[in-house]
PDB file of all heavy atoms in Angstrom:
ATOM      1  N   ARG A 268      97.971 107.060  96.855  1.00 91.00           N
ATOM      2  CA  ARG A 268      98.158 106.834  98.286  1.00 91.00           C
ATOM      3  C   ARG A 268      99.635 106.894  98.639  1.00 91.00           C
ATOM      4  O   ARG A 268     100.495 106.570  97.812  1.00 91.00           O
ATOM      5  CB  ARG A 268      97.698 105.431  98.666  1.00 91.00           C
ATOM      6  CG  ARG A 268      96.235 105.273  98.758  1.00 91.00           C
ATOM      7  CD  ARG A 268      95.922 103.823  99.030  1.00 91.00           C
ATOM      8  NE  ARG A 268      95.962 103.526 100.457  1.00 91.00           N
ATOM      9  CZ  ARG A 268      95.790 102.306 100.949  1.00 91.00           C
ATOM     10  NH1 ARG A 268      95.616 101.277 100.151  1.00 91.00           N
ATOM     11  NH2 ARG A 268      95.818 102.106 102.243  1.00 91.00           N
ATOM     12  N   SER A 269      99.893 107.216  99.883  1.00 86.00           N
ATOM     13  CA  SER A 269     101.259 107.174 100.356  1.00 86.00           C
ATOM     14  C   SER A 269     101.823 105.769 100.171  1.00 86.00           C
ATOM     15  O   SER A 269     101.105 104.784 100.380  1.00 86.00           O
ATOM     16  CB  SER A 269     101.276 107.551 101.836  1.00 86.00           C
ATOM     17  OG  SER A 269     102.595 107.581 102.260  1.00 86.00           O
ATOM     18  N   ASN A 270     103.063 105.687  99.731  1.00 88.00           N
ATOM     19  CA  ASN A 270     103.755 104.413  99.551  1.00 88.00           C
ATOM     20  C   ASN A 270     103.339 103.637  98.291  1.00 88.00           C
ATOM     21  O   ASN A 270     103.761 102.504  98.089  1.00 88.00           O
ATOM     22  CB  ASN A 270     103.585 103.518 100.790  1.00 88.00           C
ATOM     23  CG  ASN A 270     104.741 102.568 100.957  1.00 88.00           C
ATOM     24  OD1 ASN A 270     105.896 102.949 100.747  1.00 88.00           O
ATOM     25  ND2 ASN A 270     104.459 101.329 101.311  1.00 88.00           N
ATOM     26  N   VAL A 271     102.513 104.248  97.446  1.00 94.00           N
ATOM     27  CA  VAL A 271     102.046 103.557  96.230  1.00 94.00           C
ATOM     28  C   VAL A 271     103.176 103.392  95.205  1.00 94.00           C
ATOM     29  O   VAL A 271     103.085 102.578  94.285  1.00 94.00           O
ATOM     30  CB  VAL A 271     100.839 104.304  95.612  1.00 94.00           C
ATOM     31  CG1 VAL A 271     101.241 105.634  95.004  1.00 94.00           C
ATOM     32  CG2 VAL A 271     100.102 103.450  94.595  1.00 94.00           C
ATOM     33  N   GLY A 272     104.267 104.181  95.398  1.00 93.00           N
ATOM     34  CA  GLY A 272     105.404 104.083  94.480  1.00 93.00           C
ATOM     35  C   GLY A 272     105.504 105.265  93.528  1.00 93.00           C
ATOM     36  O   GLY A 272     106.087 105.178  92.453  1.00 93.00           O
ATOM     37  N   LYS A 273     104.971 106.399  93.961  1.00 92.00           N
ATOM     38  CA  LYS A 273     104.916 107.592  93.120  1.00 92.00           C
ATOM     39  C   LYS A 273     106.297 108.161  92.802  1.00 92.00           C
ATOM     40  O   LYS A 273     106.617 108.424  91.648  1.00 92.00           O
ATOM     41  CB  LYS A 273     104.062 108.652  93.827  1.00 92.00           C
ATOM     42  CG  LYS A 273     103.441 109.661  92.918  1.00 92.00           C
ATOM     43  CD  LYS A 273     102.087 110.139  93.454  1.00 92.00           C
ATOM     44  CE  LYS A 273     102.024 110.247  94.954  1.00 92.00           C
ATOM     45  NZ  LYS A 273     102.919 111.280  95.482  1.00 92.00           N
ATOM     46  N   SER A 274     107.100 108.344  93.831  1.00 88.00           N
ATOM     47  CA  SER A 274     108.432 108.915  93.585  1.00 88.00           C
ATOM     48  C   SER A 274     109.290 107.965  92.743  1.00 88.00           C
ATOM     49  O   SER A 274     110.014 108.407  91.843  1.00 88.00           O
ATOM     50  CB  SER A 274     109.119 109.238  94.916  1.00 88.00           C
ATOM     51  OG  SER A 274     108.351 110.171  95.643  1.00 88.00           O
ATOM     52  N   SER A 275     109.167 106.662  93.007  1.00 92.00           N
ATOM     53  CA  SER A 275     109.912 105.669  92.212  1.00 92.00           C
ATOM     54  C   SER A 275     109.483 105.731  90.757  1.00 92.00           C
ATOM     55  O   SER A 275     110.313 105.648  89.843  1.00 92.00           O
ATOM     56  CB  SER A 275     109.657 104.252  92.736  1.00 92.00           C
ATOM     57  OG  SER A 275     110.007 104.147  94.089  1.00 92.00           O
ATOM     58  N   VAL A 291     112.809 108.792  97.241  1.00 72.00           N
ATOM     59  CA  VAL A 291     112.100 107.529  97.497  1.00 72.00           C
ATOM     60  C   VAL A 291     112.239 107.205  98.976  1.00 72.00           C
ATOM     61  O   VAL A 291     113.306 107.305  99.556  1.00 72.00           O
ATOM     62  CB  VAL A 291     112.665 106.380  96.628  1.00 72.00           C
ATOM     63  CG1 VAL A 291     112.069 105.059  97.027  1.00 72.00           C
ATOM     64  CG2 VAL A 291     112.400 106.666  95.159  1.00 72.00           C
ATOM     65  N   SER A 292     111.110 106.803  99.570  1.00 63.00           N
ATOM     66  CA  SER A 292     111.084 106.701 101.026  1.00 63.00           C
ATOM     67  C   SER A 292     111.290 105.294 101.549  1.00 63.00           C
ATOM     68  O   SER A 292     110.796 104.331 100.985  1.00 63.00           O
ATOM     69  CB  SER A 292     109.748 107.220 101.526  1.00 63.00           C
ATOM     70  OG  SER A 292     108.735 106.837 100.642  1.00 63.00           O
ATOM     71  N   PRO A 295     107.062 105.694 104.774  1.00 63.00           N
ATOM     72  CA  PRO A 295     106.011 106.309 103.954  1.00 63.00           C
ATOM     73  C   PRO A 295     105.651 107.712 104.443  1.00 63.00           C
ATOM     74  O   PRO A 295     105.948 108.080 105.579  1.00 63.00           O
ATOM     75  CB  PRO A 295     104.816 105.371 104.142  1.00 63.00           C
ATOM     76  CG  PRO A 295     105.376 104.091 104.649  1.00 63.00           C
ATOM     77  CD  PRO A 295     106.591 104.472 105.434  1.00 63.00           C
ATOM     78  N   GLY A 296     105.008 108.458 103.584  1.00 60.00           N
ATOM     79  CA  GLY A 296     104.569 109.802 103.951  1.00 60.00           C
ATOM     80  C   GLY A 296     105.661 110.836 103.779  1.00 60.00           C
ATOM     81  O   GLY A 296     105.651 111.896 104.376  1.00 60.00           O
ATOM     82  N   LYS A 297     106.634 110.511 102.930  1.00 59.00           N
ATOM     83  CA  LYS A 297     107.816 111.352 102.779  1.00 59.00           C
ATOM     84  C   LYS A 297     107.538 112.630 101.971  1.00 59.00           C
ATOM     85  O   LYS A 297     108.027 113.694 102.299  1.00 59.00           O
ATOM     86  CB  LYS A 297     108.889 110.549 102.034  1.00 59.00           C
ATOM     87  CG  LYS A 297     110.271 111.124 102.143  1.00 59.00           C
ATOM     88  CD  LYS A 297     110.976 110.521 103.317  1.00 59.00           C
ATOM     89  CE  LYS A 297     112.430 110.983 103.404  1.00 59.00           C
ATOM     90  NZ  LYS A 297     113.054 110.438 104.601  1.00 59.00           N
ATOM     91  N   THR A 298     106.764 112.469 100.899  1.00 62.00           N
ATOM     92  CA  THR A 298     106.527 113.610 100.017  1.00 62.00           C
ATOM     93  C   THR A 298     105.442 114.497 100.630  1.00 62.00           C
ATOM     94  O   THR A 298     104.276 114.167 100.604  1.00 62.00           O
ATOM     95  CB  THR A 298     106.121 113.127  98.602  1.00 62.00           C
ATOM     96  OG1 THR A 298     107.052 112.131  98.185  1.00 62.00           O
ATOM     97  CG2 THR A 298     106.140 114.268  97.607  1.00 62.00           C
ATOM     98  N   LYS A 390     103.809  98.524  90.890  1.00 98.00           N
ATOM     99  CA  LYS A 390     104.464  97.374  91.536  1.00 98.00           C
ATOM    100  C   LYS A 390     104.002  96.032  90.975  1.00 98.00           C
ATOM    101  O   LYS A 390     103.924  95.041  91.702  1.00 98.00           O
ATOM    102  CB  LYS A 390     104.245  97.417  93.064  1.00 98.00           C
ATOM    103  CG  LYS A 390     104.627  98.764  93.709  1.00 98.00           C
ATOM    104  CD  LYS A 390     104.634  98.696  95.224  1.00 98.00           C
ATOM    105  CE  LYS A 390     104.827 100.071  95.839  1.00 98.00           C
ATOM    106  NZ  LYS A 390     104.884 100.058  97.303  1.00 98.00           N
ATOM    107  N   ASP A 392     105.510  93.983  89.268  1.00 98.00           N
ATOM    108  CA  ASP A 392     106.554  92.945  89.364  1.00 98.00           C
ATOM    109  C   ASP A 392     106.403  92.080  90.603  1.00 98.00           C
ATOM    110  O   ASP A 392     106.957  90.987  90.681  1.00 98.00           O
ATOM    111  CB  ASP A 392     107.943  93.603  89.339  1.00 98.00           C
ATOM    112  CG  ASP A 392     108.134  94.561  90.505  1.00 98.00           C
ATOM    113  OD1 ASP A 392     107.722  95.738  90.385  1.00 98.00           O
ATOM    114  OD2 ASP A 392     108.673  94.154  91.557  1.00 98.00           O
ATOM    115  N   LYS A 393     105.654  92.579  91.583  1.00 98.00           N
ATOM    116  CA  LYS A 393     105.479  91.816  92.823  1.00 98.00           C
ATOM    117  C   LYS A 393     104.384  90.754  92.725  1.00 98.00           C
ATOM    118  O   LYS A 393     104.169  89.995  93.672  1.00 98.00           O
ATOM    119  CB  LYS A 393     105.166  92.765  93.985  1.00 98.00           C
ATOM    120  CG  LYS A 393     106.336  93.642  94.391  1.00 98.00           C
ATOM    121  CD  LYS A 393     106.086  94.280  95.733  1.00 98.00           C
ATOM    122  CE  LYS A 393     107.294  95.091  96.195  1.00 98.00           C
ATOM    123  NZ  LYS A 393     107.129  95.513  97.599  1.00 98.00           N
ATOM    124  N   SER A 421     105.912  98.905  86.377  1.00 98.00           N
ATOM    125  CA  SER A 421     106.861  98.510  87.413  1.00 98.00           C
ATOM    126  C   SER A 421     108.073  99.433  87.369  1.00 98.00           C
ATOM    127  O   SER A 421     108.741  99.529  86.340  1.00 98.00           O
ATOM    128  CB  SER A 421     107.332  97.064  87.217  1.00 98.00           C
ATOM    129  OG  SER A 421     108.479  96.826  88.033  1.00 98.00           O
ATOM    130  N   SER A 422     108.341 100.076  88.480  1.00 97.00           N
ATOM    131  CA  SER A 422     109.528 100.936  88.549  1.00 97.00           C
ATOM    132  C   SER A 422     110.784 100.095  88.627  1.00 97.00           C
ATOM    133  O   SER A 422     111.883 100.565  88.348  1.00 97.00           O
ATOM    134  CB  SER A 422     109.457 101.848  89.771  1.00 97.00           C
ATOM    135  OG  SER A 422     108.370 102.705  89.641  1.00 97.00           O
ATOM    136  N   LYS A 423     110.610  98.832  89.043  1.00 96.00           N
ATOM    137  CA  LYS A 423     111.748  97.954  89.184  1.00 96.00           C
ATOM    138  C   LYS A 423     112.232  97.487  87.812  1.00 96.00           C
ATOM    139  O   LYS A 423     113.432  97.517  87.538  1.00 96.00           O
ATOM    140  CB  LYS A 423     111.355  96.756  90.049  1.00 96.00           C
ATOM    141  CG  LYS A 423     112.523  96.026  90.640  1.00 96.00           C
ATOM    142  CD  LYS A 423     112.086  94.996  91.641  1.00 96.00           C
ATOM    143  CE  LYS A 423     113.237  94.051  91.941  1.00 96.00           C
ATOM    144  NZ  LYS A 423     112.753  92.830  92.613  1.00 96.00           N
TER     145      LYS A 423
HETATM  146  P1  GTP B 190     105.478 108.586  99.785  1.00 90.77           P
HETATM  147  O1  GTP B 190     106.061 109.759  99.061  1.00 90.77           O
HETATM  148  O2  GTP B 190     106.197 108.256 101.041  1.00 90.77           O
HETATM  149  O3  GTP B 190     104.012 108.697  99.995  1.00 90.77           O
HETATM  150  O4  GTP B 190     105.680 107.254  98.879  1.00 90.77           O
HETATM  151  P2  GTP B 190     105.711 107.100  97.295  1.00 90.77           P
HETATM  152  O5  GTP B 190     104.344 106.828  96.767  1.00 90.77           O
HETATM  153  O6  GTP B 190     106.469 108.205  96.647  1.00 90.77           O
HETATM  154  O7  GTP B 190     106.492 105.695  97.150  1.00 90.77           O
HETATM  155  P3  GTP B 190     108.051 105.436  96.898  1.00 90.77           P
HETATM  156  O8  GTP B 190     108.386 105.620  95.459  1.00 90.77           O
HETATM  157  O9  GTP B 190     108.842 106.184  97.895  1.00 90.77           O
HETATM  158  O10 GTP B 190     108.111 103.850  97.131  1.00 90.77           O
HETATM  159  C1  GTP B 190     107.672 103.246  98.328  1.00 90.77           C
HETATM  160  C2  GTP B 190     108.335 101.868  98.457  1.00 90.77           C
HETATM  161  O11 GTP B 190     107.900 100.967  97.416  1.00 90.77           O
HETATM  162  C3  GTP B 190     109.851 101.920  98.324  1.00 90.77           C
HETATM  163  O12 GTP B 190     110.388 100.974  99.216  1.00 90.77           O
HETATM  164  C4  GTP B 190     110.104 101.504  96.877  1.00 90.77           C
HETATM  165  O13 GTP B 190     111.368 100.920  96.673  1.00 90.77           O
HETATM  166  C5  GTP B 190     108.987 100.493  96.642  1.00 90.77           C
HETATM  167  N1  GTP B 190     108.562 100.455  95.218  1.00 90.77           N
HETATM  168  C6  GTP B 190     108.107 101.510  94.491  1.00 90.77           C
HETATM  169  N2  GTP B 190     107.785 101.145  93.229  1.00 90.77           N
HETATM  170  C7  GTP B 190     108.058  99.817  93.127  1.00 90.77           C
HETATM  171  C8  GTP B 190     107.937  98.846  92.045  1.00 90.77           C
HETATM  172  O14 GTP B 190     107.502  99.118  90.920  1.00 90.77           O
HETATM  173  N3  GTP B 190     108.312  97.556  92.343  1.00 90.77           N
HETATM  174  C9  GTP B 190     108.777  97.194  93.570  1.00 90.77           C
HETATM  175  N4  GTP B 190     109.090  95.903  93.749  1.00 90.77           N
HETATM  176  N5  GTP B 190     108.897  98.079  94.598  1.00 90.77           N
HETATM  177  C10 GTP B 190     108.551  99.364  94.392  1.00 90.77           C
END
Side-chain angles (χ1 to χ4, degrees):
R268 283 176 86 184
S269 183
N270 208 41
V271 70
K273 204 148 36 65
S274 300
S275 303
V291 172
S292 38
K297 196 91 175 177
T298 311
K390 308 190 188 182
D392 61 275
K393 291 195 176 190
S421 166
S422 296
K423 199 171 165 196

